[in-house]
């Protein structure tokens, strides 16, 4: 380590450590994005092989614009959902609709609200939460007795004081679905910081309790959930 850097390190160890961690996170993010780009290319090639000429033209037209990568991902997720022969959920993020469907046959249609994109936490531990896109799967289904440990950032986001014990039974409503990505599909609870009718958990989806109850017996861990 050069003498000048050593002096800075000794004078401001926390600041330098934070800078190094930030650089490491950026490098790791670049590697992940590079891998995802390659993986995305493979998936696009595979999906194009099953498309009609008109569908390939449509996707190629979207791909011509770098700013429409999300539109392509949404289109691929939509096609995957249409071809899935197993019972699954599909979320139309543009129209705010949740479907219970199988191979394109919609068995139930439900209105949902998507939480906004938000950066939560404090640097260097800040995390960007965004509504899911693509294929996810159900990790766990819980009912109103589940004591959800409400993240501290939720209280901060709401302007509420952080309690000593943040575990609140029913804080995710009478029924909630945890996805493998960490996002949650839930109904508005009667207690806790998510009880406000105008507040939607960032990066997650809120449905109506009767709709979730109606499909409750169909919800199983591993069930696919397509966001398009």
């Amino acid at each position: 380590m050069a003498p000048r850097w050593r002096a800075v390190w000794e004078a401001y160890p926390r600041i330098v450590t934070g800078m190094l961690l930030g650089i490491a996170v950026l490098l790791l993010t670049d590697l992940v994005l590079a891998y995802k780009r390659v993986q995305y290319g493979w998936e696009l090639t595979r999906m194009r092989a099953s498309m009609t000429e008109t569908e390939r033209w449509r996707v190629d037209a979207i791909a011509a614009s770098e700013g429409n990568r999300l539109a392509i991902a949404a289109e691929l997720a939509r096609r995957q959902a249409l071809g899935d022969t197993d019972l699954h959920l599909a979320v139309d993020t543009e129209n705010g609709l949740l479907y219970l469907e199988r191979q394109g046959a919609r068995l139930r249609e439900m209105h949902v609200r998507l939480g906004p994109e938000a950066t939560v936490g404090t640097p260097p531990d800040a995390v960007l939460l965004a509504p899911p896109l693509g294929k996810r799967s159900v990790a766990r289904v819980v009912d109103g007795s589940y004591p959800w440990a409400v993240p501290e950032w939720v209280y901060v986001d709401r302007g509420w004081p952080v309690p000593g014990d943040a575990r609140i039974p029913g804080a995710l409503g009478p029924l909630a679905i945890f996805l493998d990505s960490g996002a949650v599909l839930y109904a508005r609870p009667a207690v806790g910081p998510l009880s406000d009718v105008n507040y939607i958990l960032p990066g997650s989806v809120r449905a109506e309790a009767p709709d979730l109850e109606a499909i409750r017996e169909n919800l199983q861990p591993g069930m696919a959930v397509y966001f398009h």
Side-chain angles (χ1 to χ4, degrees), residues 54-219:
T54 300
E55 288 173 330
R56 282 196 295 270
W57 178 86
R58 179 183 177 189
V59 170
D60 288 343
I62 296 175
S65 172
E66 186 69 14
N68 284 327
R69 294 193 306 273
L70 293 181
I72 299 176
E75 178 66 15
L76 292 178
R78 185 187 67 82
R79 285 185 53 81
Q80 284 183 304
L82 289 175
D84 194 334
T85 58
D86 294 325
L87 194 66
H88 60 270
L89 298 175
V91 181
D92 181 342
T93 59
E94 183 176 352
N95 296 308
L97 294 171
L98 170 67
Y99 304 112
L100 175 68
E101 59 184 20
R102 179 190 282 117
Q103 202 167 10
R106 292 174 178 171
L107 308 178
R108 187 178 181 90
E109 178 180 302
M110 299 152 276
H111 289 277
V112 295
R113 294 181 62 183
L114 276 72
E117 181 178 297
T119 299
V120 302
T122 55
D125 299 320
V127 176
L128 175 64
L129 297 180
L133 187 62
K135 183 180 180 180
R136 300 291 186 266
S137 63
V138 174
R140 186 181 182 186
V141 180
V142 299
D143 59 22
S145 66
Y146 177 71
W148 185 46
V150 183
E152 181 177 324
W153 65 262
V154 175
Y155 288 99
V156 174
D157 196 34
R158 296 300 323 280
W160 288 23
V162 180
D165 185 358
R167 292 173 299 177
I168 303 177
L172 284 173
L175 188 65
I177 305 166
F178 286 94
L179 304 182
D180 58 350
S181 63
V184 186
L185 202 165
Y186 69 100
R188 186 168 70 90
V191 297
L194 303 188
S195 60
D196 187 339
V197 67
N198 295 314
Y199 182 81
I200 314 295
L201 186 67
S204 292
V205 181
R206 193 179 77 189
E208 296 298 325
D211 287 329
L212 291 185
E213 288 292 345
I215 63 172
R216 183 172 188 164
E217 63 180 16
N218 303 117
L219 303 175

Side-chain angles (χ1 to χ4, degrees), residues 2-67:
R4 180 175 298 178
W5 271 104
R6 184 181 299 276
V8 173
W9 177 281
E10 293 175 350
Y12 309 101
R14 291 186 178 180
I15 294 177
V16 174
T17 300
M19 290 174 58
L20 293 176
L21 287 174
I23 293 173
V25 169
L26 290 175
L27 291 175
L28 180 60
T29 302
D30 286 342
L31 290 175
V32 171
L33 290 176
Y35 171 75
K36 288 292 185 180
R37 190 178 186 87
V38 173
Q39 188 180 45
Y40 163 78
W42 292 339
E43 180 67 11
L44 181 59
T45 300
R46 185 183 69 80
M47 295 297 292
R48 288 184 82 257
S50 65
M51 294 178 183
T52 65
E53 182 177 352
T54 300
E55 288 173 330
R56 282 196 295 270
W57 178 86
R58 179 183 177 189
V59 170
D60 288 343
I62 296 175
S65 172
E66 186 69 14

